[in-house]
Every structure is written in structure tokens, then in C-alpha cells.
Amino acid sequence: MKKSYFSLFVAVILAVGAVSLSARGSSSGGVSIGATIYNFGDNFMNGVVAPALKKHAKENKASLTIVDSENQQAKQNDQVDIFINKGVQVLAVNLVDPASARTVIEKAKAADTPLILYNKEPTEAGVMDIYDKVWYVGTNSAESGILQGEMIAADWKANAGWDKNGDGVMQYVMLKGEPGHPDAEARTKEAILSIKGKGIKVQELALQADPTWSTQFGNDTMAAWLTSGFGEEIEVVIANNDGMAFGAITAMESAGVSLPIYGVDALEQALQLIKEGKMNGTVLNDGKGQAHAVIDLAMNVAAGKAPTAGTDWKLETDGSKAIRVPYVAVTE
Ligand code: GAL
Ligand code: CA
């Protein structure tokens, strides 16, 4: 008798537990997504991409957790383990180190958890092939450099006075983003190639790179350049992103200098600076679109559907397993 009461008691406890578990599942909203951002200090990732991820997750009643990898790949690897142990249905990872994709992909594969890498494209050739449930959402990095270069070339041709020393050569300085990051590498190279492609001669006076693409770096570096031996010779400032350009603009203002300056991302503040005539151009990096694609893909793969099913996103057919959201030039 006693024994059967006990087993009834156990059965009731189990039943209540099961109900509360399923209730938790439905109230937290269906699909669970564990996301990392390489560094919450990044204006674009934190200011544009993260809010858009939250918005679209909410629209889809998904439960999204976003963690800060604090610019440490080892930390991010641990965060991925924790998400997997918690049993998230989809992982969305903004790598810290684009060369470290293999570790993250192997973890997802071992757990059979679908993985969407976003904004930092893996640099190791063939690494996307080691797992059938990994995809990439980002851009075609080269495009941003080409667009930036084209607008610089057009402005240079329209403003004869920009060639301060009248030597027919554009003396420029370059604020580069994270070395090894496909966006930083491609922007630095393609912007210059496209300026040259428009028949303009260029001379690089200085180039400095910042792994965190930060405003502080832009400020410190530009301030140092302006007081260096070649400070007076600078004719154009090119930045791989708006964040660094903002810092450079502050440094110029402090030094009482005004030079043509260009960024990438099209952050709100950049549009404002362009209106005020303090910045000359930027390139829209459609972070909202990228976030939208990440969530659309996550919903699909969590439901076992094809990644782009029922959406307008197109997967590249070149083996990169990538959705590439277009860039747009912005000069006003
Ligand atoms: C780029 C963006 C930069 C920075 C970087 C971080 O796409 O233009 O501002 O956010 O990603 O990986
Ligand atoms: Ca010149």
C-alpha cells in the first residue's frame, strides 16, 4: 500500500515536471537560438546587428540569447560548449577569429546542432564542407571596397582643390580594420584598386590596423598622423568602417583640419556627419538584412527545412554555403 502511494506520488511529480517543462518551452517561444557577438564594444555589431537579431527573433517567437565573446576566441569556444550543453536548437556565431572556424564547426557537428556563422567569413579553405549543417550569412567583402573606391574617385575628379600639392597624385592614409578579417583585407585592397582603376594615381602615406575597428583607435591614429612629418601632405582619409572614421573626424576637428574622409557601414551617426558636411561618404553594410537572414535561416533549419525555404534569400552556388547581402554606396 505504502509503496503504491509512493509510486503514485512519484508519477504525479513527474507529470507536473513534464507539464512545467513543456510550458516553459512554449512560453519562452519555440525555437531556441544561442548567438555570440565577437565584441559588444563594436559599434556595428552591437548597435545595428544585435538589435535587429532581437527584433526578428521576437517576430518569430524564438528565444534568442546573445553573449559577448569579448574578442577572445577561447571564451567564444566555451560559450559554444555552454549553448550546446543547454541544448539550443541553432547556433549563430559571429567568430572572433575568422581563422578559427574549424573548432566551432566541429563542436556543432559533434552535437548535431545547425550552425550559422555570420559577419566574419571563415578564412580556412574548404572548412564549410566539413559539416552539412553549417552556413554563412554576410556580404561580398570586395563589393564594399569597390563602392567606396568608386565614390572617392568620383569626388576626387569633381574637386580639383583636393590635390593640395598639385602633383596629380592622391596622397592618402588608410585606417584598416582587423588584419585577416575578409572585410578589412578586401576593403583595403579593393578601394585602392578601384581608385586606380578610374585612372587616378595614388600614394599611401600611412596605414594602421585595429583588430577592434574602434573609434578610439581612429582618433589616436589620426591625431598621431596629423602631427607626424607627413601630416600636412594628407589629402584623403580612407577608413574600413565608420567607427574609425568618427574618431579620425574628432582628431581632425581638434587639430583644426578638414580633409575628405570615407567609411563603411552607414551608421546613423555617419549619415548625420555626411549631412553636416563633416564626412564625405560611406557604404551601407546592411546589418539589419544580415540579422534578418540569420533568423530566417535559423527558423528554417530548426524546423528541418531547407535553409532558405519560403524566403527571398539565395544561397551562393560556389560552395561557400553563403547568403551575401548587398552593399549600397551612400553619399548623402
Ligand atoms: C564589419 C563592419 C565593421 C565591424 C566588423 C566586425 O562588417 O563593417 O564595422 O563591425 O564587421 O567584424
Ligand atoms: Ca597630391
Side-chain angles (χ1 to χ4, degrees):
M1 215 28 190
K2 248 192 180 165
K3 211 174 177 187
S4 68
Y5 271 130
F6 180 71
S7 46
L8 181 67
F9 175 73
V10 169
V12 167
I13 294 287
L14 286 177
V16 168
V19 167
S20 74
L21 261 187
S22 66
R24 222 182 110 228
S26 61
S27 69
S28 62
V31 174
S32 58
I33 306 167
T36 69
I37 282 189
Y38 91 97
N39 173 16
F40 277 10
D42 183 296
N43 319 37
F44 172 71
M45 291 308 300
N46 200 46
V48 181
V49 181
L53 283 171
K54 289 179 195 155
K55 174 173 175 266
H56 292 293
K58 203 170 167 196
E59 283 165 5
N60 285 283
K61 298 192 168 39
S63 95
L64 168 73
T65 308
I66 307 180
V67 294
D68 181 2
S69 301
E70 294 174 21
N71 213 23
Q72 299 162 41
Q73 188 59 50
K75 175 158 196 130
Q76 180 167 86
N77 294 345
D78 291 345
Q79 293 168 329
V80 168
D81 287 335
I82 293 168
F83 278 140
I84 288 174
N85 289 337
K86 282 191 178 157
V88 297
Q89 286 164 275
V90 185
L91 288 161
V93 173
N94 172 223
L95 292 166
V96 174
D97 176 5
S100 294
R102 178 173 288 270
T103 313
V104 174
I105 298 175
E106 277 170 353
K107 285 179 189 295
K109 185 180 179 184
D112 194 32
T113 305
L115 168 65
I116 301 163
L117 298 170
Y118 69 103
N119 183 264
K120 270 196 211 182
E121 188 159 14
T123 48
E124 184 189 332
V127 79
M128 296 296 283
D129 297 334
I130 67 173
Y131 183 31
D132 60 341
K133 290 183 205 157
V134 58
W135 298 273
Y136 176 69
V137 172
T139 60
N140 173 352
S141 302
E143 209 174 85
S144 49
I146 295 169
L147 290 172
Q148 193 191 42
E150 282 172 358
M151 80 188 153
I152 297 171
D155 289 352
W156 176 264
K157 287 183 179 172
N159 293 280
W162 285 10
D163 183 12
K164 291 194 297 189
N165 63 356
D167 66 351
V169 179
M170 181 192 297
Q171 274 80 20
Y172 71 90
V173 289
M174 175 76 73
L175 288 163
K176 180 178 174 178
E178 179 191 348
H181 187 315
D183 286 354
E185 296 301 335
R187 287 175 194 169
T188 303
K189 179 171 157 233
E190 299 294 337
I192 300 308
L193 280 178
S194 84
I195 294 170
K196 286 186 185 160
K198 299 290 175 194
I200 297 167
K201 290 199 189 81
V202 297
Q203 182 190 356
E204 183 176 278
L205 297 177
L207 176 152
Q208 294 269 339
D210 176 18
T212 63
W213 308 69
S214 72
T215 299
Q216 187 64 52
F217 175 86
N219 183 75
D220 297 349
T221 308
M222 190 69 205
W225 285 341
L226 285 172
T227 53
S228 72
F230 58 81
E232 302 268 297
E233 293 166 38
I234 304 172
E235 293 172 340
V236 174
V237 184
I238 308 175
N240 277 181
N241 78 337
D242 289 345
M244 292 188 290
F246 298 159
I249 290 169
T250 311
M252 288 195 277
E253 283 179 341
S254 306
V257 173
S258 166
L259 293 168
I261 177 160
Y262 298 82
V264 174
D265 282 341
L267 300 181
E268 281 299 323
Q269 193 182 338
L271 304 181
Q272 186 57 36
L273 287 164
I274 291 172
K275 269 201 198 100
E276 291 168 13
K278 293 179 180 167
M279 194 165 161
N280 300 72
T282 184
V283 177
L284 172 68
N285 186 4
D286 185 2
K288 291 181 185 165
Q290 292 171 51
H292 199 164
V294 168
I295 299 296
D296 282 350
L297 244 73
M299 297 308 293
N300 273 335
V301 300
K305 294 183 195 161
T308 57
T311 71
D312 291 335
W313 306 115
K314 297 268 172 297
L315 271 179
E316 295 283 339
T317 51
D318 59 2
S320 60
K321 297 161 83 179
I323 288 176
R324 300 190 191 279
V325 180
Y327 285 102
V328 185
V330 180
T331 49
E332 53 188 33

